[in-house]
Amino acid sequence: MKKTILKLEGVSKRFGVVQALSHINLEVRTGEVMALVGDNGAGKSTLIKGIAGIHPFSKGKIYYKGQPVKINRPRDSSALGIEVVYQDLALADNLDVVANMFLGREMVQTPWRIDEASMEKACLATLEALSVMTIHSVRQPVATLSGGQRQAIAVAKAVMWNSEVVILDEPTAALGVAQTHQVLELIKRLADKGLAIVLISHNLQNIFEVANRIVVLRLGQKVGEYIAAETSQQEVIQAITTGRIPRMTVQNGN
Amino acid sequence: MVTKEIAQETENVHIEKQGSQTSGEYIVSYIHRVKTGDLGSLPIILGLIAIAIVFQSQNENFLTARNFVNLIVQMAGITTIAYGVVFVLLLGEIDLSIGYVSAVAAVIMALLLKGDPASNVAGWHWFPAVGAALLSVAIIGLLQGLIITNFEIPSFVVTLSGLLAWNGVVLILIGGSGTVIIQDVVIIGIANYFLPSTVGWAIGSVAILSYAIIKIQTNFSRKSQRLPITPTPILSVQIVGFALMVSTAIYICNQDRGIPLVGIILLTFLVGFTFLAVRTPFGRYVYAVGGNKEAARRAGISVQRIRVIVFMISSVMAGCGGIILASRLRSVDTGAGGGNLLLNSIAAAVIGGTSLFGGSGRVSSALLGALVIASVENGMNLLGLSSGIKFVITGFVLLMAVLVDAISRRSRNQSGLA
């Protein structure tokens, strides 16, 4: 059931003299939540920007469904089925939920005319399939939604386009307890539907709630990979703060 | 424990939809929207009623058929220019060149119509003359737009230099004579022709019928997709209300000279640009760029292209406004495009409710705002007020409009809606 969909082999990224990532191996599997943790500057953002095609990797190989692929632009990654939900969500506050979900990919009736009814229907179907919380109407501006609802819309937008890998950058950073919980539930549901989820977060408690695997980065290197059920917060924290850099401790399960 | 309860809540509460609203619910939700600060065109309509009462009580000529027709002709120029302003403001930009760009179009058209009798060059037919004038200002818009986007210079500065430069171009083109007279019947007719009453009624019926068909069709297509629809009683009220409004306007106009041709032009622009803004991907992108440029960029929208096109729309609409103004005066002189034309056009869009900060506003705000400005000016002229007092009052009206917007935005904030 859990197949590797995205595989990075020895990827590195260098910004001038700074080695931001060195020789990272990573597997992202369908139906699984993989958490990416590490202190500030560990290379988490660089890693996802490489996968998204914003800052392509300097070295290393990427395999998607077993095929070697090149991701040099954001368009390349979305064409493969990889969507990234960034921390700032990138929603236009003045537009309603439907308009945001379809922004840049509107359905049209004639080349000139937006097909509002079909878009609204598809939007409702997606939100319902994800059991997305308490949105009163999909015709209200995004500005009127709570932080959790906005996050949910951003995630739903990423999921709607038949994406298979969804990368979430700090989805719960700005949320309260209840909303955080809603978003975590949503993440679990996505994984249950067979999507591959990469979750970046500072909050270990949240991570242990939803993640199947935890990958620890430190100073641009992978210093550990753990099965969430078989490790503890202490162990992960230790890896984040003092992880041995030269040799990797890989506890591989399954 | 707590989390479990929340989880259940998440599962249970789903999107409120299906099953159409009842009329009662529709009205309740409208009142709720108004209470939480989403006023729509309500303040401006109340404002217009207040203006009508004040001026009518001072001078009984204000609310007459004759003055109503005059008002339509008087507001035509700034309304047309303001349609373009709305798009620029939606992006959160400004275009200060529109005043003199309108004059550039008017002068080019007038000169082409006139030809050059001295060297036996015949004047052009009105159609290519108007086409050439609008093409020229479209190029002006393209130029300004490209400079703004390619060099990342604020539109304020680029169009401010445009304001100066195009003023100069107008003076150079007009030359020593100081005035170019327009004699073409069609062009003069734009602002001076009034439709016969039967034609007025025919156009009105078509408009009412189209409105009803579009409304009902929208409801049917939403119903077939099982989406919430406007309740039938509300729909009927909307259609009957629209029909009454149109008929009243036609009836009043026909009491005097009839519907001004320019009035029909204004409404055609209104419908066309509303469609562009609300129903097309382009319009959607304009709102998106104004609301969150970064989100628009990540959605794959070519932000630069949208901005350039909007500056072209702004220039072309300014050109159309300039032609209408020239038609009304039957000439173009060195003062064309000056005075408070620029500021009145921007004020019209803002009074109508279009935000200066981008992302929010409607095309109709140009028409409503221009109606306010024109009524105030028209009323004050009837009262024979001095121009000093007129400026003070116009300034006060603009301030009031912005205050209403600011206060409603605050109440939106308080109810967590912004």
Side-chain angles (χ1 to χ4, degrees), chain A residues 5 12 21 33 48 58 65 75 89 93 95 108 128 136 138 140 150 154 164 166 177 180 184 198 205 237 252:
Chain A
I5 182 161
S12 303
L21 287 176
V33 179
I48 60 159
S58 330
K65 294 180 176 169
R75 207 179 298 161
L89 303 183
D93 278 351
L95 296 180
V108 285
E128 204 164 13
H136 177 70
V138 289
Q140 59 185 330
R150 293 161 61 90
E164 294 162 314
V166 177
V177 177
T180 296
L184 293 179
V198 178
Q205 207 178 337
I237 290 172
N252 212 346

Side-chain angles (χ1 to χ4, degrees), chain A residues 91 94 106 114 116 120, chain B residues 222 279 284-285 287 292 359:
Chain A
L91 298 172
N94 57 329
E106 285 78 9
I114 295 179
E116 292 286 353
E120 189 169 334
Chain B
R222 290 181 64 86
R279 292 273 167 255
R284 180 65 44 89
Y285 299 160
Y287 280 91
N292 187 343

Side-chain angles (χ1 to χ4, degrees), chain A residues 94 96 139-141 143-144, chain B residues 27-44 352-353 360-362 404-418:
Chain A
N94 57 329
D96 65 24
R139 283 296 171 193
Q140 59 185 330
T144 62
Chain B
I27 293 166
V28 168
S29 85
Y30 176 75
I31 293 173
H32 177 76
R33 283 215 309 273
V34 171
K35 267 189 185 160
T36 52
D38 183 4
L39 302 175
S41 330
L42 196 61
I44 194 157
S360 126
R362 294 182 199 167
V404 168
D405 181 51
I407 291 166
S408 78
R409 192 173 324 123
R410 191 185 299 164
S411 108
R412 269 199 302 260
N413 279 334
Q414 278 166 357
S415 45
L417 292 183

Side-chain angles (χ1 to χ4, degrees), chain B residues 63-266:
Chain B
L63 287 181
T64 55
R66 180 164 188 78
N67 202 36
F68 181 68
V69 173
N70 284 344
L71 192 58
I72 295 174
V73 178
Q74 284 162 2
M75 70 185 279
I78 60 168
T79 311
T80 310
I81 300 175
Y83 285 141
V85 173
V86 169
F87 282 86
V88 175
L89 293 185
L90 279 176
L91 287 184
E93 311 265 0
I94 193 87
D95 188 346
L96 299 178
S97 70
I98 44 175
Y100 288 111
V101 167
S102 79
V104 169
V107 176
I108 291 177
M109 178 198 69
L111 288 175
L112 289 175
L113 286 175
K114 193 177 121 201
D116 192 353
S119 52
N120 253 340
V121 177
W124 289 26
H125 183 253
W126 68 271
F127 192 78
V130 169
L134 293 183
L135 186 67
S136 314
V137 291
I139 292 169
I140 291 177
L142 177 69
L143 192 71
Q144 294 184 154
L146 286 176
I147 294 173
I148 291 164
T149 52
N150 279 343
F151 299 101
E152 293 296 331
I153 309 173
S155 51
F156 184 91
V157 184
V158 174
T159 57
L160 182 62
S161 24
L163 180 150
L164 297 168
W166 305 124
N167 186 13
V169 169
V170 170
L171 296 181
I172 294 167
L173 285 177
I174 291 185
S177 62
T179 313
V180 186
I181 308 287
I182 297 172
Q183 281 166 330
D184 188 278
V185 189
V186 178
I187 298 299
I188 290 175
I190 294 174
N192 295 293
Y193 179 73
F194 300 89
L195 300 176
S197 76
T198 44
V199 177
W201 284 116
I203 293 178
S205 322
V206 171
I208 294 169
L209 211 64
S210 321
Y211 179 83
I213 289 174
I214 289 171
K215 278 274 174 190
I216 293 169
Q217 217 174 28
T218 308
N219 248 7
F220 266 112
S221 88
R222 290 181 64 86
K223 202 171 186 175
S224 70
Q225 302 260 30
R226 295 158 169 249
L227 294 167
I229 57 170
T230 317
T232 315
I234 298 285
L235 191 71
S236 325
V237 170
Q238 283 175 341
I239 292 173
V240 171
F242 180 80
L244 276 177
M245 207 172 71
V246 172
S247 319
T248 315
I250 296 173
Y251 177 77
I252 293 174
C253 287
N254 284 345
Q255 295 302 301
D256 190 51
R257 286 152 287 177
I259 302 174
L261 175 63
V262 77
I264 302 293
I265 296 177
L266 289 186

Side-chain angles (χ1 to χ4, degrees), chain A residues 78 81-83 85 97-107 118-130 138 152-166 190 193 195:
Chain A
S78 40
I82 302 172
E83 290 281 340
V85 179
V97 175
V98 178
N100 265 291
M101 297 264 291
F102 282 87
L103 193 58
R105 323 187 222 200
E106 285 78 9
M107 294 181 181
S118 303
M119 277 165 54
E120 189 169 334
K121 200 178 174 198
C123 173
L124 284 168
T126 306
L127 294 181
E128 204 164 13
L130 296 175
V138 289
I153 297 302
V155 172
K157 181 181 171 185
V159 172
M160 191 162 60
W161 303 99
N162 296 323
S163 48
E164 294 162 314
V165 178
V166 177
L190 293 178
K193 283 176 190 296
L195 275 87

